[in-house]
């Protein structure tokens, strides 16, 4: 339960100042969405998510996308940097797994970043 | 149309052919994520979502972002085109409301686009 909103938030306009603090969060969220703003990366994430244990070898990811392995590795790196996939090297190959809850927390992040201030 | 997966995909590689059908879905999802790949648009969506009735007048959206109204209108149009916001003209001002379920179906879309094929 939130305490009372700021006393000067009379009616329509709400606590505008509170939103400035959300700018960093918005920037972080936008960066994650940018990682997903590419069909190949959406496909990679989906394919990894659909595997047993939500994990796939990079060697299994090039063929379904019809892309060269350096290109696939480039896309995978962007997904790892965005915190959506985790990478683990095992001998010759790198394995990629879905970071649990990353997608749902991404959706929740949007809803959470602005505190509710309805009367 | 291949009937069977490649015979040498023993174990590890799953039904790769099924994934080709997901390319259009991935493209559509990526387009929506691209609409969210900008901090100003994430903030706009959040501010609208936090209003009473998840609706806001464009006149209330310029100040919290510190952007000119044409710029805000440009970002809002991208969010409307992506199906995340709905626009309604009322007299002089346009009102924008969150499309119910758009964000959650976006997250679900990723999980849904690849059929589960775990054994």
């Amino acid at each position: 339960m939130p305490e009372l909103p700021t006393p000067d938030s009379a009616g329509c306009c709400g606590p505008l100042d509170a939103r400035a603090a959300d700018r960093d969060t918005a920037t972080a969220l936008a960066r994650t969405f940018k990682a997903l703003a590419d069909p190949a990366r959406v496909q990679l994430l989906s394919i990894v998510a659909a595997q047993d244990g939500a994990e796939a070898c990079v060697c299994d990811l090039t063929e379904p996308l019809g892309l060269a392995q350096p290109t696939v590795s480039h896309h995978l790196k962007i997904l790892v940097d965005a915190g959506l996939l985790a990478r683990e090297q095992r001998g010759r190959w790198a394995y990629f797994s879905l970071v649990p809850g990353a997608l749902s927390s991404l959706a929740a992040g949007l809803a959470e970043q602005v505190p509710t201030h309805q009367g």
Side-chain angles (χ1 to χ4, degrees), chain A residues 38-87:
Chain A
D38 183 288
R41 294 200 286 276
V42 171
Q43 281 193 288
L44 281 169
L45 205 65
S46 302
I47 293 169
V48 170
Q51 303 306 304
D52 274 332
E55 185 189 72
C57 173
V58 65
C59 57
D60 292 330
L61 294 171
T62 52
E63 196 178 314
L65 266 73
L67 298 172
Q69 197 186 306
T71 308
V72 170
S73 292
H74 165 75
H75 286 308
L76 286 167
K77 185 181 185 314
I78 291 172
L79 291 170
V80 170
D81 290 347
L84 296 167
L85 289 184
R87 182 189 190 281

Side-chain angles (χ1 to χ4, degrees), chain A residues 86-108:
Chain A
R87 182 189 190 281
E88 194 187 322
Q89 188 77 31
R90 292 190 210 144
R92 184 181 167 196
W93 298 111
Y95 284 76
F96 293 86
S97 59
L98 199 65
V99 173
L103 292 177
S104 48
S105 67
L106 189 61

